[in-house]
Amino acid sequence: MRHVLRSQQFDRPLLEQLFRRADWFHNKIRTLHGRRMLQEILRSRMLFTVFYEPSTRTRMSFAAAAQHLGMEVVTTENASEFSSAVKGESLEDTIRVLCEYHPDVIVIRHHETGAAERAARVSSRPIVNAGDGQGQHPTQALLDLYTIRQEIGRLDGLTVTIGGDLARGRTARSLAYLLTKFDKARLIFIAPPGLEMGDDIKEHLAEKGTPFIEESSLAVALPKSDVVYWTRIQKERAAPGVDHEAVARQFSIGSRELELMKPEAVLMHPLPRNAEIAAAVDSDPRAAYFRQAGNGMLIRMALLEWVIGVS
Ligand code: CP
């Protein structure tokens, strides 16, 4: 069974297979003829989405990916509020019950770190982690990497600055894990005091021989970077003593910061963004975050095929 639980489970050949397939979907989806052809690929298959936390991109792009491939989508509307979790049902019992309805894949987002792994332990159907607490968001890391490949044309030899709330941002953690797979990757972490990248990630980077530094100055980091991956402050997750608004202002990328970036660099963000990237930046060709969000659907199409086992 092909669960998707952590980004580091993907090796380079599989990544390349998924990226080539996403390229193919990108071409097919442009025409009505192509979209009709896609409908046959996973016809009669069923996707369950069970989201205990809010989502726009992940949930909608999984649903769109599934429907473009001909799947039926069954979804909970805010599982934290409207599922029987409210009546005290455990995640494990919920997953056991959902498996009785014969979904082909269950995509789950949950506020607890490790929830997707717990679900996978009791599930007879493939589980896809769509974000678990402060743990991981592996499908986001796949689409992030695909976007870097699209925008820059290579994945080796890149200096990637990852900035923002690195202590609690699961997308930054999943991307850092995945970047260790690539030759001569160098990482620069920029985080407000108290929100630095976790030791588990730093230990993993050291073990894999991926060099990284922790930097406090955007003026130092940005001119060196091929990729600037910016993230929001996770206001919904408690961080005692952190003034979220002040941090957001201090760590904001605007026109001045953009001038520090290489002309061929790319500015990414998993979204949603708050004040950490100014809207004035959106029209710069290096601002890739809306293209990045679009890539999410293509990657999730490729992933659904792979999870179900038809590729
Ligand atoms: N990037 C991301 O996970 O966005 P959503 O929370 O909207 O799904």
Side-chain angles (χ1 to χ4, degrees), residues 57 120 132 140 168 193 207 218 222 235 241:
R57 277 147 291 274
D132 64 324
Q140 177 72 44
R168 302 175 299 172
E207 196 179 300
L218 275 69
L222 297 186
K235 286 184 274 197

Side-chain angles (χ1 to χ4, degrees), residues 3-285:
H3 298 301
V4 176
L5 301 176
R6 3 186 153 82
S7 61
Q8 62 270 41
Q9 75 184 71
F10 293 92
D11 60 21
R12 285 192 66 159
L14 177 53
L15 289 169
E16 198 44 49
Q17 176 189 324
L18 293 171
F19 294 166
R20 277 200 302 270
R21 198 63 180 154
D23 289 343
W24 188 80
F25 288 135
H26 180 66
N27 288 329
K28 288 289 166 228
I29 211 156
R30 289 158 182 263
T31 66
L32 185 59
H33 175 74
R35 287 198 293 279
R36 285 189 177 135
M37 182 194 286
L38 294 178
Q39 284 289 313
E40 301 306 317
I41 293 176
L42 293 179
R43 186 171 293 290
S44 304
R45 305 292 191 148
M46 188 176 283
L47 172 73
F48 280 8
T49 64
V50 189
F51 278 50
Y52 292 85
E53 277 191 338
S55 168
T56 297
R57 277 147 291 274
T58 312
R59 183 168 157 213
M60 298 297 284
S61 65
F62 259 117
Q67 293 198 358
H68 277 301
L69 294 173
M71 297 179 82
E72 295 293 329
V73 180
V74 176
T75 188
T76 55
E77 200 67 49
N78 184 357
S80 276
E81 200 176 339
F82 297 120
S83 77
S84 285
V86 177
K87 294 179 255 176
E89 185 165 64
S90 69
L91 175 66
E92 283 81 355
D93 280 0
T94 300
I95 296 297
R96 286 185 185 104
V97 170
L98 294 182
C99 288
E100 295 294 319
Y101 306 148
H102 295 272
D104 292 279
V105 187
I106 300 173
V107 177
I108 177 170
R109 171 171 288 189
H110 201 279
H111 44 277
E112 290 174 14
T113 305
E117 309 238 0
R118 278 171 47 210
R121 278 199 283 276
V122 297
S123 182
S124 60
R125 319 302 299 173
I127 296 288
V128 176
N129 181 1
D132 64 324
Q134 296 172 207
Q136 284 224 25
H137 193 347
T139 71
Q140 177 72 44
L142 294 179
L143 78 90
D144 293 340
L145 208 57
Y146 180 67
T147 301
I148 295 171
R149 175 182 174 272
Q150 293 283 85
E151 297 284 329
I152 298 198
R154 66 188 159 87
L155 289 165
D156 290 309
L158 296 174
T159 298
V160 180
T161 288
I162 304 181
D165 184 347
L166 306 186
R168 302 175 299 172
R170 56 199 176 200
T171 69
R173 293 171 51 78
S174 287
L175 181 60
Y177 273 124
L178 210 45
L179 286 169
T180 64
K181 313 272 181 185
F182 295 90
D183 297 334
K184 298 193 173 74
R186 292 172 299 277
L187 303 193
I188 302 174
F189 296 133
I190 298 198
L195 298 179
E196 292 90 355
M197 183 58 90
D199 287 340
D200 57 337
I201 300 285
K202 293 187 219 164
E203 282 161 20
H204 185 81
L205 294 173
E207 196 179 300
K208 296 290 176 189
T210 302
F212 69 91
I213 56 168
E214 294 183 284
E215 179 52 68
S216 57
S217 164
L218 275 69
V220 172
L222 297 186
K224 295 179 188 168
S225 305
D226 302 299
V227 177
V228 177
Y229 186 90
W230 223 237
T231 64
R232 75 187 166 90
I233 304 300
Q234 306 261 315
K235 286 184 274 197
E236 70 274 32
R237 305 186 203 284
V242 174
D243 179 345
H244 290 116
E245 298 309 322
V247 163
R249 279 195 301 277
Q250 185 194 347
F251 276 78
S252 179
I253 293 195
S255 305
R256 223 178 7 217
E257 288 72 25
L258 213 56
E259 278 176 24
L260 297 170
M261 286 174 54
K262 294 180 188 177
E264 69 280 14
V266 62
L267 175 61
M268 297 173 59
H269 192 302
L271 304 179
R273 64 141 162 216
N274 298 141
E276 68 280 357
I277 295 185
V281 167
D282 295 354
S283 55
D284 190 285

